[in-house]
Amino acid sequence: MRKMIKPFGILLVLVAGMAYAEAEFDFEELMETIDTNSHNLQDNITNKDANGSIALAKEMQNSFKLVEGYFEKRGDAADAVTDAKRYEDMAAEIVKFVETNDFEAASNKAIEISKACDTACHDTYKPL
């Protein structure tokens, strides 16, 4: 019986930790981080910093995945879910462009993300 209690206790602590982390999710902070990363990404691309560009684009992919989940849970924003998925894909495209040293295409895609964010969710859902 004691052998079963230990794994169950560990599982309970892990699940509680995940629930706490989700409850502590700060959407506004995430939006600010995306905005900052978007500007920094464009700077890195301009400076042809491949490693920095790839790291930021991947971080933005993860951030847009969180945005997608936020709006899915909200339940009344199917367009925002679709847009977040689109931005995830665009960030993935930036990674591919940078990996092939196509910094011009990466720059165009980064600018496209920035403009699309401003005209999509920001205009419709801000302030949340």
Side-chain angles (χ1 to χ4, degrees):
M1 179 73 163
R2 285 185 84 95
K3 288 182 181 181
M4 190 156 186
I5 291 174
K6 277 187 179 182
F8 180 73
I10 291 170
L11 180 63
L12 187 60
V13 168
L14 291 174
V15 170
M18 289 186 313
Y20 176 77
E22 190 167 321
E24 293 296 313
F25 183 77
D26 186 341
F27 187 78
E28 284 298 318
E29 186 176 308
L30 178 62
M31 291 294 96
E32 290 174 18
T33 299
I34 288 173
D35 187 49
T36 299
N37 285 346
S38 178
H39 294 291
N40 291 340
L41 176 60
Q42 290 176 40
D43 289 344
N44 284 350
I45 291 169
T46 298
N47 293 323
K48 297 187 181 197
D49 176 357
N51 292 333
S53 298
I54 289 169
L56 279 173
K58 287 181 178 182
E59 185 176 331
M60 290 180 70
Q61 271 183 282
N62 292 332
S63 294
F64 286 124
K65 187 71 173 166
L66 291 173
V67 171
E68 177 187 343
Y70 174 85
F71 282 111
E72 281 178 340
K73 286 181 183 176
R74 182 174 159 154
D76 63 346
D79 57 333
V81 172
T82 301
D83 287 341
K85 287 179 183 177
R86 186 168 57 106
Y87 304 148
E88 286 174 55
D89 293 342
M90 292 167 80
E93 288 178 59
I94 291 171
V95 170
K96 289 178 184 175
F97 288 136
V98 172
E99 288 176 340
T100 61
N101 291 318
D102 190 348
F103 288 96
E104 184 176 344
S107 178
N108 291 336
K109 193 60 67 174
I111 291 168
E112 187 179 345
I113 289 175
S114 183
K115 287 180 179 179
C117 283
D118 287 343
T119 58
C121 287
H122 283 229
D123 290 347
T124 306
Y125 295 105
K126 193 166 182 173
L128 293 168

